[in-house]
Amino acid sequence: MAALFATSPGFHSWSRPWEHRIEGAEVSYTIRLRADAFARAVQLAGFRSDYGLAKAMEVNRSTVARVLSGLLQPGPAFIGGALVALTPMCSNDLFEVIPTSTPTDRSSTGRQGNADGPLCF
């Protein structure tokens, strides 16, 4: 895999933005909707229907309904649309980063970086 940055001692390169290298083992992450926080943000923003929210997010109403029901994971269009439509909420308020796999190397003493760190952009 091609790394984005040259490696040096103590620096772990990134092969993909959503994978985290841990002393030779890869851990993948995904983004999950914080449903309760999202619902509160939608209510505070004054949206009264999935249709109005979807229009503001510039996604299909069915996409909003499927993500809210858990049938679909939020994708880039949903995440971006939510951050625009629900400003001033930031990504950490509405979404959480969770691991989808665990490291195969159990000798790891710690991670470089932090999936729970600030994700506002």
Side-chain angles (χ1 to χ4, degrees), residues 16-17 21-23 27 33 70 75-76 86 93 96 98 108 117 119:
R16 296 182 194 145
R21 298 187 63 73
I22 300 175
E23 296 181 17
V27 177
L33 181 70
L86 300 174
D93 298 324
E96 64 182 323
I98 58 169
S108 175
L119 296 173

Side-chain angles (χ1 to χ4, degrees), residues 34-92:
R34 295 181 190 266
D36 292 340
F38 189 85
R40 283 191 305 272
V42 167
Q43 184 180 22
L44 289 171
F47 294 106
R48 298 177 188 205
S49 68
D50 287 353
Y51 176 78
L53 176 61
K55 188 173 181 179
M57 291 175 59
E58 297 185 11
V59 298
N60 291 324
R61 186 208 53 82
S62 61
T63 300
V64 171
R66 288 179 182 142
V67 170
L68 293 178
S69 69
L71 294 174
L72 185 67
Q73 291 295 319
F78 184 93
I79 294 167
L83 294 174
V84 168
L86 300 174
T87 300
M89 304 300 282
C90 72
S91 57
N92 242 13

